[in-house]
Amino acid sequence: MPDKKKKSHDFRSNLYSYWKKSRRFRVGIFADIHDALFIIAGIFSAAFGLESFLLPNSFIDGGATGISLLISEISSIPLYILIILVNIPFIFLGFKVIGKQFAIKASLAIIGLAIVLATVHFPEVTEDKLLVAVFGGFFLGAGIGLSIRGGGVLDGTEVLAIYLSRKLRTKIGDNIIVINIIIFLAAAYFLSLETALYSMLTYLSASKTLDFVVDGIEEYTGVTIISARSEEIRLMITEKLGRGLTIYKGHGGYGKSGVHNEYDIIYAVITRLEISKLNTELEKIDPNAFVVMNSINDTKGGMIKKRALNH
C-alpha cells in the first residue's frame, strides 16, 4: 500500500510538473505572437506617418526619429539607414538599463521599420501643413505606442531619458523635454523657424497619441500583486526583471460567511517598457493573480533609479 501511494503521488507530481511546463511554453508562444503583431502594426503605422506626411514636407519629430529626419534633410543619407544608426546607442543603453529581451525586441522593431521604409512606398496624402503636422504625428505616435505595447520601441529616446534619470536623479519627462528642445532648436537653425514650429506640433500630436495607445500609462507604474504563488512571483520580479519590491501581509475576505485568507502582497514599481514582460511572466506563474496597476509621475530612491546598470 505505501508503494502504491508513493507511485500515485509521483504520478500526480509528474503530471502537474508537465502541465506547468506545457502551460508556460504555451503562454510564452502566445505572448511572443501577441508582441510581434503589435510591433508589426506599429512599424507600418510609423512608416505610413513618415512617408505619407512628414518626409514629403520636410517635417521632423522629437526623439531619435526626429534626429534621423533632421540629418536626412540636411544630408544625402537615406532615412532607413539613419533610423538604425541613430538608435544603436539607445539599443545598447536599453540592454544595460532594461535587459536583453527588450534590446532584442527593440532591435528587431527598428530594423523592421528601416526595411519597410526602404522597400514599401506610401503615397503622399496631403500638402496642408497643419494636417501634415497633426496626422503625421498621430500615425508616428501610434506606431511607437504599439511597439511599446509589444515590448519594444521604435524610438530609443525614452531609454536615454530613463538612463539620465538614474544618473542625474531627474524626472524622465524633464529629460525628454530637454532632449527635444535641443532637436527643435537645431531644426530651426538648419531648416527654418516655421518648420521647427510645425515640427513641435507634430511632436505634441505624436506624444499624445502614444500616451493614448499605451492607455495613458506614465513613466512609472506601481504594481500590486496578490497571489497564492507570491514566492515565485517575488523571484521573477527580482531575478528576471531585476527590480526591488516590498512584501507585506494582508487578509482577504469573501462570501457571506466572511471566509478569509492570509496573503503576501507584493508591491513593485516598474517602467512602462517593462509592463509587457511582467504580464507575460505573471501569466506563466499564476493567471488568476489579482493585479492592480496605477500611474506614478515620478519616484525617488529605491531600485528604480539606483539599480546598477550592469545587472
Side-chain angles (χ1 to χ4, degrees), residues 239-291:
E239 294 178 4
K240 291 191 176 182
L241 292 184
R243 292 299 179 199
L245 50 79
T246 299
I247 297 176
Y248 51 96
K249 296 292 183 181
H251 294 275
Y254 61 92
K256 294 181 179 179
S257 59
V259 177
H260 68 277
N261 296 315
E262 291 187 356
Y263 299 101
D264 283 336
I265 301 173
I266 296 175
Y267 181 80
V269 178
I270 61 176
T271 65
R272 64 180 177 182
L273 300 179
E274 295 168 311
I275 291 175
S276 176
K277 184 176 181 181
L278 175 66
N279 286 333
T280 298
E281 296 299 328
L282 285 174
E283 185 71 12
K284 292 178 183 178
I285 296 172
D286 184 6
N288 296 317
F290 182 68
V291 183

Side-chain angles (χ1 to χ4, degrees), residues 13 137 161-162 172 185 228 234 244 302:
S13 178
I162 293 171
I172 290 177
L185 287 174
R234 181 189 70 81

Side-chain angles (χ1 to χ4, degrees), residues 54-73:
L54 302 184
L55 278 174
N57 295 276
S58 301
F59 284 7
I60 70 169
D61 183 35
T65 306
I67 296 172
S68 303
L69 286 164
L70 180 59
I71 296 175
S72 179
E73 284 297 322

